[in-house]
Amino acid sequence: MLGFFKRKKKEKVPEHEPGHGKSSYYNLQVREVVKETPDTITIYFDLPDGGISYIPGQFFTLIMDLGGNEIRRAYSLCTCPETDPYPGVTVKRMEGGLMSNHLNDHLKAGDSIKVMEPIGNFTVTVDKELKRHLVLFGGGSGITPLMSIAKSVLHGEKDSQVSLVYGNRDIESIIFKEEIESLEKKYPDNFQVRHVLEKGPENWSGAQGYLTKELIEGYLKEFPDFGAKSTSYYMCGPEGLMNVVTESLEVLGIDHHSVFKESFTTSAVRNEPSAEDGTDVSREVTVIFDDEEFKFVVEPGKTILETALDLDIDLPFSCQSGLCTACRGKCLSGSVKMDETEGLSEEELEEGYVLTCVGHPASDDVKIEIG
Ligand code: FES
């Protein structure tokens, strides 16, 4: 899942002690590499001293030097913090993908990878008192954070239900096929799954083709009815799947506050500097990170993060496309114009959070505290 960014090799990113509430980095040792499908692996990591805590649905940013460049990629955790002894991320080969191909081809147990602490807002907080229904829509490797969420809720909330609709090309490309089957056996009264295959095998009894509005509507009728207040919808997958699910839920009148999305890609377009919104002139910004204050001038057309990185100010980032929130900060004064706001929730936007990777200063007194 998530974004892609590459920058020129430069001095080492400073390490921070984990657990300070700032971005922290770990050097994690690979414990095991499991081949899930012909083009997908799950990487399990040994726990660092002091452990590592994460919320179901979050992701790691893996940082590697490849071909002389520092490459960062965000990969969702597929594991449940309560039941899986080691954290794991799932990596599907992307065509031309530098890191995904490198990891699939070369990674082995014992290797070490620099990893940014787990972050992400596509999460579920498990509460054993809750009685709710989570409807999960996944496509391809979009199953990864949903798997973490499903396992965690099934384990921690005995009165809740989880329903999964999972689309794939064919049966061989179903990631976690056996694990999903064993969850169905373990939680027969709480977990239901509908597979949709573009091309099913001969004896396939499930749906074939792409996920459609009709299929979604049919599945929602079959799933348990917990009422609108106790039902939430989570989706992660390719754009086509996300669009059809979003439209179907809208048509069914489902409140968008109950719908949560994790995107692979962004349609973010860099806005032209404009006098109308105040982004057409150079402006000094102040950024507070890790108890240090940095002042620098951002030129029109450049983002705050880009400018900081050019100046060797090591602000945290991962996707650099407004999706992952690794670069998030609270705007304490002034105004910031963002090219893309999809990564932030309505509440975060109301509270003044901004993403520096897609943010341009739109007034003179911009002050942002990263975190
Ligand atoms: S680096 Fe991912 S949202 Fe900014």
Side-chain angles (χ1 to χ4, degrees):
M1 55 69 69
L2 295 170
F4 322 96
F5 179 62
K6 155 172 135 168
R7 66 173 161 138
K8 287 228 174 70
K9 191 165 180 176
K10 54 195 285 304
E11 267 151 51
K12 218 171 139 254
V13 176
E15 310 260 342
H16 305 280
E17 284 298 305
H20 285 187
K22 306 288 184 189
S23 272
S24 307
Y25 299 89
Y26 300 86
N27 272 315
L28 296 185
Q29 198 167 56
V30 175
R31 181 177 183 84
E32 194 184 2
V33 179
V34 174
K35 199 151 187 77
E36 303 284 359
T37 69
D39 61 3
T40 307
I41 53 170
T42 294
I43 306 165
Y44 291 95
F45 294 99
D46 275 325
L47 291 172
D49 288 345
I52 195 161
S53 59
Y54 62 96
I55 305 170
Q58 286 192 313
F59 61 87
F60 277 156
T61 300
L62 273 51
I63 304 168
M64 299 183 100
D65 280 344
L66 295 174
N69 290 313
E70 183 193 277
I71 309 286
R72 296 182 175 213
R73 294 289 185 273
Y75 294 110
S76 292
L77 287 140
C78 60
T79 42
C80 163
E82 294 299 320
T83 57
D84 288 307
Y86 303 101
V89 297
T90 302
V91 181
K92 183 175 179 173
R93 249 180 224 285
M94 306 298 289
E95 208 183 315
L98 265 182
M99 194 184 287
S100 66
N101 283 299
H102 175 84
L103 295 171
N104 269 273
D105 288 335
H106 302 297
L107 195 74
K108 53 185 190 322
D111 289 351
S112 228
I113 304 184
K114 185 165 180 173
V115 172
M116 196 196 285
E117 65 180 343
I119 54 169
N121 300 328
F122 184 71
T123 54
V124 163
T125 304
V126 175
D127 178 348
K128 65 179 181 357
E129 305 299 331
L130 286 179
K131 187 174 178 182
R132 58 177 165 174
H133 184 201
L134 264 54
V135 185
L136 315 178
F137 295 94
S141 58
I143 187 68
T144 311
L146 301 176
M147 203 55 193
S148 172
I149 289 171
K151 286 195 278 188
S152 303
V153 171
L154 289 169
H155 170 75
E157 298 183 13
K158 67 179 176 28
D159 294 323
S160 292
Q161 289 277 333
V162 177
S163 302
L164 170 67
V165 178
Y166 186 16
N168 277 290
R169 197 174 52 241
D170 51 32
I171 204 142
E172 285 75 35
S173 52
I174 301 179
I175 305 170
F176 307 127
K177 182 169 174 291
E178 271 136 44
E179 201 173 356
I180 290 170
E181 284 166 4
S182 72
L183 286 174
E184 286 179 277
K185 284 200 191 101
K186 189 170 175 189
Y187 302 102
D189 300 325
N190 302 72
F191 186 42
Q192 39 279 318
V193 182
R194 300 291 183 274
H195 287 285
V196 181
L197 296 182
E198 280 170 43
K199 192 171 173 0
E202 253 171 38
N203 54 351
W204 180 247
S205 58
Q208 285 215 58
Y210 290 109
L211 188 61
T212 60
K213 283 184 194 163
E214 292 68 36
L215 278 174
I216 292 169
E217 207 170 318
Y219 292 146
L220 292 180
K221 279 191 189 132
E222 291 165 22
F223 293 154
D225 185 358
F226 274 52
K229 281 209 177 92
S230 301
T231 306
S232 310
Y233 305 82
Y234 288 75
M235 67 181 91
C236 182
E239 204 179 350
L241 176 132
M242 305 275 279
N243 289 344
V244 75
V245 176
T246 304
E247 284 162 24
S248 305
L249 298 181
E250 266 170 27
V251 169
L252 292 168
I254 287 157
D255 183 348
H256 70 276
H257 289 104
S258 311
V259 179
F260 304 91
K261 303 176 190 179
E262 181 86 313
S263 299
F264 287 171
T265 52
T266 176
S267 50
V269 177
R270 180 70 62 89
N271 292 330
E272 289 297 316
S274 121
E276 221 165 283
D277 60 23
T279 56
D280 63 330
V281 289
S282 309
R283 296 188 187 275
E284 188 181 70
V285 301
T286 306
V287 176
I288 305 164
F289 175 57
D290 224 2
D291 298 327
E292 269 192 80
E293 195 171 286
F294 304 93
K295 276 186 196 295
F296 51 90
V297 173
V298 180
E299 300 296 337
K302 290 275 238 174
T303 67
I304 296 167
L305 178 68
E306 262 170 5
T307 310
L309 296 177
D310 283 350
L311 295 167
D312 274 355
I313 301 167
D314 277 307
L315 299 185
F317 70 96
S318 179
C319 72
Q320 248 215 354
S321 53
L323 291 173
C324 74
T325 72
C327 65
R328 192 188 79 153
K330 192 163 190 171
C331 188
L332 305 176
S333 68
S335 96
V336 171
K337 172 86 177 116
M338 284 187 278
D339 297 321
E340 165 67 59
T341 57
E342 198 183 324
L344 293 173
S345 66
E346 274 178 36
E347 290 74 22
E348 286 172 306
L349 289 168
E350 272 162 30
E351 285 169 33
Y353 283 101
V354 295
L355 300 172
T356 62
C357 73
V358 287
H360 309 267
S363 71
D364 273 339
D365 50 349
V366 169
K367 191 173 201 176
I368 297 168
E369 182 163 23
I370 300 296

